[in-house]
Amino acid sequence: MYEKEISLAVIKRLPRYYRYLGELLENDVVRISSKELSEKMQVTASQIRQDLNNFGGFGQQGYGYNVEYLFTEIGKILGLDRKYNVIIIGAGNLGQALANYTDFERRGFLIKGIFDVNPRLEGISIRGNEIRMMETLEDFVKNNSVHIAALTIPKAKAPQVAADLVSWGVKAIWNFAPTDLNLPKDIMVENVHLAESLMRLSYNLKAREEQEREENQ
Ligand code: NAI
């Protein structure tokens, strides 16, 4: 299987290729050269060729890449050719925002349940999903195949809830709570921390200002 040999750096770039190719498909573009794709994506053409050659030469000399084929193959590599059942724990601002976002569904991530401890939220429907109480979570997880649990609860609660989910069989956690979960090694955790991405912006802004100051001296 070629998948084993693909470097992490390439895997990290694949979602962006997938997004661009999806847009091209929507615009009925049938094929594209690495040069054109490079101009669109602001990545060098040689990087694109190198990256995409990992999957066994999807491109053809003088023809370019078949957009639909490449989109489908990258989708398969990313595991997007199947459906994932997702539950959201914590139906506050962020949990509700995730539940309201329709694009995840289009990518095969289906929101199957939303859970919270606040009885005032019970039964409120978010795009057809009624918010359920945490007491029902264990049964739900044991009786439905839950592939991914998103954690959008306060950070003090996240480690225990994550440990419970894992003990009931959940293997992948999409963690938004600003805390490390320290789960067993076979559990996949993807941390999403918007504040960290803001800090990178603030670092870059600061560096730019310092550079401008030096240049003006
Ligand atoms: P929120 O206060 O609006 O929502 C939290 C919800 O969790 C509430 O509805 C509350 O009743 C529920 N909850 C509390 N304890 C629970 C438990 N043990 N089990 C189930 N539900 C429980 O807060 P918000 O703004 O939605 O943020 C949620 C979490 O996401 C926080 O930890 C926050 O720090 C984090 N966050 C992370 C971001 C990121 O980039 N990763 C961005 C924004 C928020």
Side-chain angles (χ1 to χ4, degrees), residues 89-95 115-118 121 134 151-155 157 161 175-178 192-195:
I89 315 294
N93 290 310
L94 187 56
F115 295 83
D116 203 287
V117 283
N118 183 349
L121 296 175
M134 282 299 272
L151 288 189
T152 50
I153 50 179
K155 70 174 182 182
K157 304 286 163 47
V161 171
N175 176 39
F176 289 83
V192 186
H193 298 317
L194 300 185

Side-chain angles (χ1 to χ4, degrees), residues 123-137:
I124 292 175
S125 174
I126 304 175
R127 294 188 52 247
N129 266 306
E130 286 189 3
I131 298 174
R132 302 165 201 252
M133 291 294 94
M134 282 299 272
E135 297 82 65
T136 65
L137 180 62

Side-chain angles (χ1 to χ4, degrees), residues 45-56:
S46 88
Q47 167 104 77
I48 289 183
R49 281 193 296 271
Q50 253 178 40
D51 281 351
L52 301 182
N53 276 347
N54 276 293
F55 319 120

Side-chain angles (χ1 to χ4, degrees), residues 179-195:
T179 183
D180 292 331
L181 298 176
N182 299 320
L183 295 167
K185 279 212 163 48
D186 63 319
I187 306 303
M188 283 156 275
V189 179
E190 183 68 30
N191 295 300
V192 186
H193 298 317
L194 300 185

